[in-house]
Amino acid sequence: MERLIGTVSRGVRAPIIRNGDDIAQIVADSVLAAAASENIEIRDRDVIAVTEAVVARAGGNYASVDQISADIRAKFPEGTAGVIFPILSRNRFAMCLKGIAGGLKKIYLMLSYPSDEVGNHLIDLDAIDAAGVNPYSDVLDEAKYRELFGYRLHTFTGVDYIEYYKELIRNCGCEVEVIFANDCHTILNYTKHVLCCDIHTRARTKRLLKASGAETVLGLDDILTAPVDGSGYNENYGLLGSNKATEESVKLFPRDCQPIVERIQALVKEGSGKTVEVMVYGDGAFKDPVGKIWELADPVVSPAYTAGLEGQPNEIKLKYLADNDFADLKGDELKAAISDSIRNKQSDLTGQMASQGTTPRRLTDLIGSLSDLTSGSGDKGTPIVWIQGYFDNYTV
């Protein structure tokens, strides 16, 4: 009988991961145990995805607020800096900001509006339009912002992030002045020393500021790139991808992930005889159409993955074939014709009409999004995701 089930994504439960745990062994053992308990056969090209949170936790990649402050003091010895384009997040940025404020005497906090980089809104576009404000060019101080828009709470968290960030900075003994602007050059009217807190646009922001005469230009990816007073660190991403751990510490994005994914692959091969693909994943890359939040607050979806996950899908759109090439066929004849087209498709369908409407994104971004949605961010207790059939097509 032909297979009638396509892609299946399963969350796999695992023990609570602690610092020093052998994460590769735990992941492999958890998947092998899940397969045995549910009587599911592991197959070649199954995908095992592991959330970055447990990889970082097992690796002990943490830093305290004081350690962040020490690095900030060393890199901004003048004691004043523009902190520009941070995202609005208690989990993602508040503890970082606490550490930044602890290392400075004064912060010019420049917020983008109407939303941050990942879609958290301070105000909505209708309010901007009603006020006659041009967000591409207009610079607002806090008094003008409040006059125009008053006090508004974030839709999901119920937090006024302007007040929240101001209070957090002041409680660290640091002065703060808030500015609202979307042009990075604006900060140079206040200070020549800048910490760029944007994620995916950081390279351009740094380039523009350096070209315009800024004296110090660093990003979150330049903070804690090496240990400070015994801290964790990330040589590639610094503070980017970090999450709140406690009221005085953050969990950093994991390091040295490539040996981990390759060891998991080897352990599963040893236990099942099958060659699976393995990846570490963080945030998925998708957008909420209601809240308008783009999920990707990590610097990348996947910091490490096995070789079989390199590249993009190369797929034919079945409905295109059915509606065009084989519009006069139906039933078994149509199925046979489409199956033959899939078997004989070109190795690169870029630009081909038959592939229009397929998703030209990296495999790791697509599978990472599927994994993030499967595991969730709450209490499911499934930091491992086991995906089967992802590389199947209509003929397999």
Side-chain angles (χ1 to χ4, degrees), residues 30 45 73 94 102 162 200 203 274 324 326 350 356 360 378 389 391:
S30 296
R45 297 218 78 188
R73 275 192 295 272
I162 302 167
H200 307 291
K274 304 298 182 181
N324 292 273
F326 309 122
T350 302
Q356 67 178 342
F391 294 103

Side-chain angles (χ1 to χ4, degrees), residues 12 24 48-49 80 82 224:
V12 176
I48 297 172
T80 297
L224 290 187

